[in-house]
Amino acid sequence: MRLVLCAVGQKMPAWADEAYEDFAKRFPPEMRLELKAVKAEPRTTGKSTEQLMAAEAQRLDAACPKGARRVVLDERGERVSSKQLAQRLEAWRGDGRDVAIFIGGPDGLDESIKSRADEKLRLSDLTLPHAFVRVLLAEGLYRAWSVMEGHPYHRE
């Protein structure tokens, strides 16, 4: 199974890329973490917010593996603990499909992405910079995997 982060924004600070890669490389081959970063629509074009998000949605859809379970990160999504995310990860693994986790751009995700989500999760009650989101999500997924596998990374 692959966990594919479909994210708007290609240029992140070096520290964020390094931290993300550090967690991504820890995953076992049977549960790889991959990043599919798509270009953010330029905010200087005079397009409406809806037009910007629609253009980004097309890119995100193209990056999403066919047949994948679609999980959207959204401020109104379900809040889960590390243990609950581990249970979710176990269920996703049992489903046998890849999992695409969508991270929106500066204005969020287009409704066309949200409406086709199998699940909506909230990473935090805070609004976070996109660089942090990638790192926190990678760490959270790795922590969930470690809980699921009984690995000593997570401690109560």
Side-chain angles (χ1 to χ4, degrees), residues 71-92 101 118-125 136-137 139-145 147 154 156:
V71 179
V72 166
L73 291 186
D74 185 78
E75 62 188 0
R76 292 171 204 80
E78 179 184 352
R79 184 182 308 143
V80 293
S81 68
S82 294
K83 284 191 169 186
Q84 290 168 325
L85 186 56
Q87 292 167 346
R88 194 71 54 94
L89 202 56
E90 183 71 44
W92 294 344
I101 303 174
D118 294 298
E119 300 177 54
K120 293 179 183 174
L121 298 178
R122 173 184 357 197
L123 189 59
S124 172
D125 288 341
L136 289 173
L137 183 58
E139 192 283 337
L141 290 167
Y142 178 72
R143 182 175 298 276
W145 173 83
V147 168
H154 178 75
E156 290 294 321

Side-chain angles (χ1 to χ4, degrees), residues 17-56:
D17 290 336
E18 290 172 25
Y20 167 83
E21 287 301 328
D22 182 60
F23 286 109
K25 71 182 179 187
R26 296 180 190 195
F27 280 83
E30 64 274 7
M31 187 176 287
R32 291 188 323 267
L33 179 64
E34 299 176 12
L35 174 63
K36 302 266 184 163
V38 303
K39 181 178 171 277
E41 193 69 8
R43 282 354 197 216
T44 57
T45 60
K47 294 180 182 176
S48 70
T49 302
E50 291 75 21
Q51 290 170 319
L52 297 170
M53 290 191 308
E56 292 165 352

